[in-house]
């Protein structure tokens, strides 16, 4: 059944509908762990290593093979339990080449040449060798160092949100005619201000939130930038994290949308 | 089996007088040997650090779970939300009409089109966003039927890949042309949860599947209509697991297996959406 409501002429003005785009760049690397959490994981990990079974050396490095020889060079056997001797630091409890009083520490042969202190000896000739040591890239990028807020390559461990400057900082908002769906309005608006070089993923055609004003309703469309870049003409824009967003947006407005945002 | 009192003996007849105490009939046999103080340690639950079988959890930061909780969950809820949606009642057992006395105590009929009653599909809210609950791995090996020692290598292979101890599985029926005999070990299975599950998932999506040339994605037809998706890996594909790849001479025979992703999604479409967002391609 269709219900048609007739408004009185005094309140005949329909609210204007606008579509706000929450365009985010998802984190690229894992989040920074708080010190307590890191310590907890370290503790559990050490406990796990302490309770681990003895490494089956006889399986991975068979006797008489080349690998066995390399393994023996790196791992010296534990102190022999001589029944005729007294040990000041307790009698060794040896099973399968392991002192069971302690956790087992195993040095495995590396695929690259190693110096005495464990650092890699870099061979200039074979730089792109697959067996080279894996060194992770820095978590801090150039954009972080130069504090370039308009770069997409800043704060890799956090979610970034797009804000633009149109009479003050705000999330990109587009007025809707009543015909076009909200997510289409947001898409067209984004391409209009930022060029078509942006590859984005719209999470859903349904809005994730709305704010009702006296004469306007603002709907929020959620989407992620996957690749490309936001390149507007004569428009200031920033990619900021959730914490930084509170500095740029109106306080009341931020409180109303803060539950939509990820760290 | 130590019963407290045996009535088959005739010693009581030889005694003078009789007991006025009611006889106790112990129908449950008591295994007194299991109550030995030496076995007390085995009664401690395995998540207690004093237990022999204690295995520490949370040994490292779980980034797949982190990604799900922080990024995916809210997106999935928004994607699967439908306005004014109501619970879709699954087809249930159909009771007989009451028009005949013969129908009075009959067992209810099967649901239409199904063998057993179907679950209801509730609308997705913040309470029931689909999540991956476990990954079940099932390895059935025909070779193990002929040579029983082969089943040792199947279990070793799965234990290496998954970091969990697999259980043996046994044939349930006799099919002579296939050399299937009841009670014969024929492979192994393991159910991965939590850290082991996410570790296996990330190995699969980042290291194994991208390197299988023939792999086009999990079939879209796969699924049991309850949100569980299955696909299989060939013996040739197994060698891409890093645990096996670096020690190939230790594994002269490799075995393919089936992987089932068990999700809390109510329909296969929702499960596919969840799995594809976790990095598994569909074809």
């Amino acid at each position: 059944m269709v219900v048609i409501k007739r408004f009185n002429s005094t309140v005949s003005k329909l609210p204007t509908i606008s579509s706000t785009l929450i365009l985010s760049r998802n984190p690229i690397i894992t989040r920074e762990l708080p010190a307590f959490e890191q310590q907890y994981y370290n503790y559990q990990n050490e406990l796990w290593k302490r309770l681990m079974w003895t490494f089956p050396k006889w399986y991975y490095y068979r006797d008489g093979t080349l690998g066995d020889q390399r393994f023996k060079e790196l791992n010296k056997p534990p102190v022999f339990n001589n029944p005729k001797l007294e040990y000041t630091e307790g009698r060794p409890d040896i099973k399968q080449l392991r002192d069971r009083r302690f956790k087992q520490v195993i040095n495995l042969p590396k695929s690259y040449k190693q110096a005495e202190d464990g650092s890699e000896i870099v061979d200039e000739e074979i730089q792109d060798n697959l067996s080279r040591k894996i060194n992770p890239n820095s978590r801090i990028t150039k954009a972080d160092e130069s504090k370039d807020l308009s770069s997409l390559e800043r704060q890799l461990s956090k979610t970034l949100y797009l804000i633009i400057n149109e009479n003050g900082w705000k999330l990109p908002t587009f007025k809707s005619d009543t015909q076009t769906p909200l997510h289409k309005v947001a898409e067209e608006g984004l391409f209009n201000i930022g060029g078509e070089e942006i590859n984005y993923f719209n999470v859903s055609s349904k809005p994730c939130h709305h704010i009702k004003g006296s004469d306007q309703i603002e709907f929020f469309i959620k989407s992620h930038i996957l690749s490309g870049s936001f390149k507007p003409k004569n428009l200031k824009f920033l990619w900021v994290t959730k914490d930084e967003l509170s500095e740029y947006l109106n306080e009341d407005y931020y409180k109303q949308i803060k539950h939509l945002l990820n760290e | 089996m130590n019963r407290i009192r045996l009535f088959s003996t005739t010693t009581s007849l030889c005694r003078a007088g009789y007991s006025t105490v009611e006889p106790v009939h112990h129908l449950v046999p008591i295994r007194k040997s299991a109550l030995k103080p030496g076995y007390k340690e085995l009664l401690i639950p395995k998540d207690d650090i004093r237990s022999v079988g204690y295995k520490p959890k949370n040994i490292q930061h779980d980034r797949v779970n982190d990604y799900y909780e922080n990024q995916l969950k809210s997106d999935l809820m928004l994607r699967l939300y439908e306005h004014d949606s109501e619970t879709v009642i699954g087809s249930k057992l159909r009771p007989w009409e009451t028009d005949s006395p013969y129908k009075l105590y009959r067992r209810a009929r099967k649901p239409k089109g199904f063998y057993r009653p179907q679950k209801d599909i509730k609308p997705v809210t913040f309470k029931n966003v689909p999540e991956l609950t476990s990954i079940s791995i099932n390895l059935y090996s025909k070779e193990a039927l002929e040579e029983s020692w082969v089943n040792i290598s199947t279990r070793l292979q799965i234990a290496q890949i998954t970091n969990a101890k697999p259980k043996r599985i046994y044939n349930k029926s006799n099919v002579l042309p296939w050399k299937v005999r009841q009670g014969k070990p024929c492979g192994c299975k393991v159910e991965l949860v939590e850290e082991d599950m996410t570790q296996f998932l990330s190995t699969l999506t980042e290291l194994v599947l991208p390197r299988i040339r023939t792999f086009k994605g999990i079939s879209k037809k796969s699924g049991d209509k309850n949100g569980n998706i299955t696909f299989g890996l060939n013996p040739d594909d197994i060698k891409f697991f890093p645990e096996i790849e670096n020690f190939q001479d230790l594994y002269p025979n490799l075995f393919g297996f089936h992987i089932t992703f068990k999700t809390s999604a109510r329909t296969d479409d929702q499960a596919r959406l969840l799995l594809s967002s976790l990095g598994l391609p569909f074809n």
Side-chain angles (χ1 to χ4, degrees):
Chain A
M1 201 176 74
V2 180
V3 180
I4 300 168
K5 282 182 183 172
R6 287 190 179 277
F7 294 98
N8 289 332
S9 57
T10 49
V11 284
S12 65
K13 205 191 169 197
L14 286 170
T16 53
I17 292 171
S18 62
S19 173
T20 301
L21 189 65
I22 303 180
L23 185 64
S24 63
R25 190 226 57 191
N26 279 346
I28 292 164
I29 56 176
T30 51
R31 72 187 156 94
E32 303 273 348
L33 293 182
F36 177 72
E37 205 171 334
Q38 188 60 58
Q39 280 171 9
Y40 172 67
Y41 286 132
N42 282 347
Y43 179 81
Q44 291 294 92
N45 203 306
E46 285 300 312
L47 196 59
W48 175 61
K49 282 177 185 165
R50 176 65 189 84
L51 297 174
M52 236 196 279
W53 288 355
T54 303
F55 175 68
K57 187 244 149 196
W58 59 91
Y59 182 72
Y60 288 102
Y61 299 98
R62 299 265 164 93
D63 281 353
T65 57
L66 210 62
D68 172 49
Q69 211 170 1
R70 263 182 246 139
F71 184 85
K72 276 177 183 164
E73 281 166 17
L74 285 169
N75 299 281
K76 297 288 169 243
V79 182
F80 172 59
N81 179 16
N82 191 341
K84 291 177 184 168
L85 290 180
E86 277 300 322
Y87 293 89
T88 49
E89 287 166 9
R91 185 164 286 283
D93 181 14
I94 309 283
K95 274 277 158 71
Q96 302 283 7
L97 292 176
R98 178 198 175 177
D99 195 338
R100 296 198 295 178
R101 294 173 301 161
F102 314 112
K103 83 167 181 187
Q104 192 179 19
V105 180
I106 285 172
N107 301 313
L108 294 177
K110 296 281 185 296
S111 58
Y112 48 88
K113 283 180 186 171
Q114 213 176 6
E116 285 291 309
D117 60 336
S119 61
E120 188 190 9
I121 299 171
V122 182
D123 196 343
E124 295 295 327
E125 288 171 11
I126 37 171
Q127 262 302 312
D128 29 297
N129 191 355
L130 277 176
S131 61
R132 72 185 187 277
K133 192 182 181 185
I134 296 167
N135 295 312
N137 290 340
S138 167
R139 292 175 71 93
I140 298 161
T141 58
K142 277 179 191 169
D144 280 326
E145 282 163 4
S146 62
K147 291 181 182 166
D148 179 12
L149 292 184
S150 60
S151 167
L152 267 172
E153 282 170 8
R154 63 183 292 267
Q155 297 279 8
L156 295 183
S157 61
K158 288 181 177 173
T159 314
L160 297 181
Y161 293 95
L162 175 71
I163 49 170
I164 56 172
N165 195 345
E166 279 178 351
N167 309 322
W169 290 106
K170 61 171 190 172
L171 296 167
T173 306
F174 312 103
K175 283 231 166 61
S176 156
D177 53 346
T178 46
Q179 302 301 316
T180 331
L182 289 168
H183 67 286
K184 289 278 175 198
V185 172
E187 183 190 74
E188 283 164 17
L190 177 70
F191 287 156
N192 278 337
I193 59 168
E196 305 238 338
E197 274 180 37
I198 194 163
N199 183 7
Y200 83 106
F201 169 69
N202 209 341
V203 176
S204 171
S205 55
K206 292 147 227 155
C208 58
H209 186 55
H210 77 281
I211 294 176
K212 221 170 185 176
S214 56
D215 57 343
Q216 60 141 356
I217 306 178
E218 191 179 351
F219 288 96
F220 289 83
I221 296 290
K222 194 176 180 185
S223 60
H224 305 301
I225 177 168
L226 302 179
S227 63
S229 55
F230 182 76
K231 280 180 183 168
K233 293 164 191 166
N234 310 323
L235 182 72
K236 281 183 186 172
F237 71 97
L238 299 176
W239 288 100
V240 289
T241 62
K242 184 184 179 180
D243 297 336
E244 291 161 354
L245 206 59
S246 60
E247 297 164 17
Y248 290 96
L249 296 184
N250 181 9
E251 197 176 321
D252 289 342
Y253 185 81
Y254 176 74
K255 262 184 192 170
Q256 276 174 302
I257 64 159
K258 126 181 126 171
H259 65 283
L260 302 170
L261 311 173
N262 292 327
E263 275 300 322
Chain B
M1 233 166 40
N2 278 332
R3 291 185 194 280
I4 298 296
R5 183 163 171 170
L6 294 174
F7 289 93
S8 55
T9 51
T10 51
T11 44
S12 57
L13 293 175
C14 308
R15 290 198 196 114
Y18 57 88
S19 168
T20 53
V21 181
E22 284 280 307
V24 186
H25 291 265
H26 280 280
L27 296 178
V28 182
I30 297 166
R31 290 193 300 118
K32 275 195 176 170
S33 61
L35 300 174
K36 264 202 301 200
Y39 289 152
K40 223 168 198 176
E41 278 181 13
L42 298 178
L43 293 175
I44 305 170
K46 276 194 176 177
D47 55 350
D48 193 324
I49 196 163
R50 289 169 301 163
S51 164
V52 189
Y54 174 72
K55 190 182 167 192
K57 284 181 177 178
N58 305 329
I59 53 166
Q60 60 188 357
H61 175 219
D62 189 347
R63 69 190 165 97
V64 176
N65 188 42
D66 219 40
Y67 169 62
Y68 175 78
E69 290 292 334
N70 292 338
Q71 312 291 324
L72 263 190
K73 213 171 177 182
S74 55
D75 283 5
L76 280 174
M77 189 178 77
L78 182 62
R79 182 86 180 182
L80 295 172
Y81 183 80
E82 277 173 34
H83 290 286
D84 304 324
S85 60
E86 284 170 7
T87 308
V88 179
I89 308 283
S91 54
K92 305 285 178 196
L93 292 172
R94 292 171 295 161
W96 293 89
E97 300 83 18
T98 48
D99 54 350
S100 160
Y102 288 108
K103 293 176 180 175
L104 197 56
Y105 294 116
R106 272 190 203 165
R107 185 181 286 178
R109 281 176 293 175
K110 281 172 192 162
K112 249 182 189 169
F114 299 98
Y115 286 104
R116 52 181 71 85
Q118 301 297 301
K119 287 170 185 165
D120 301 342
I121 302 168
K122 289 178 182 167
V124 173
T125 60
F126 66 96
K127 287 178 196 162
N128 59 350
V129 181
E131 65 173 325
L132 191 61
T133 46
S134 67
I135 294 177
S136 158
I137 288 174
N138 202 325
L139 189 155
Y140 183 90
S141 139
K142 279 181 198 165
E143 294 94 322
L145 294 174
E146 293 185 10
E147 294 284 348
S148 53
W149 60 264
V150 171
N151 210 23
I152 299 172
S153 12
T154 64
R155 289 169 72 207
L156 177 68
Q157 178 195 309
I158 296 296
Q160 278 290 342
I161 292 172
T162 60
N163 185 33
K165 190 179 176 184
K167 280 180 186 170
R168 250 171 296 198
I169 54 175
Y170 301 93
N171 278 142
K172 284 184 180 173
S173 54
N174 290 308
V175 185
L176 285 181
W178 297 347
K179 296 182 180 171
V180 168
R181 270 190 290 145
Q182 211 171 352
K184 213 153 193 271
C186 55
C188 60
K189 63 173 181 183
V190 69
E191 179 118 10
L192 305 175
V193 289
E194 295 169 5
E195 289 161 318
D196 288 342
M197 173 183 79
T198 51
Q199 182 63 55
F200 180 76
L201 181 72
S202 55
T203 317
L204 198 66
T205 53
E206 285 161 24
L207 297 174
V208 180
L209 295 184
R211 293 165 68 194
I212 302 175
R213 292 201 170 184
T214 52
F215 184 72
K216 295 279 189 299
I218 303 172
S219 168
K220 269 183 191 167
K221 291 175 190 166
S222 172
D224 68 345
K225 295 178 183 173
N226 270 318
N228 305 318
I229 309 272
T230 307
F231 82 106
L233 287 178
N234 292 328
D236 299 342
D237 309 336
I238 308 300
K239 64 170 183 288
F240 294 121
F241 279 94
E243 295 88 350
I244 302 240
E245 190 191 12
N246 297 325
F247 297 94
Q248 281 196 28
D249 48 339
L250 296 179
Y251 301 92
N253 31 17
L254 293 172
F255 306 91
F257 52 80
H258 282 112
I259 303 167
T260 306
F261 298 99
K262 296 187 177 176
T263 68
S264 66
R266 275 274 67 90
T267 62
D268 284 352
D269 280 341
Q270 291 179 4
R272 258 175 244 130
L273 182 67
L274 169 68
L275 292 183
S276 63
S277 56
L278 285 171
L280 289 156
F282 281 86
N283 177 29

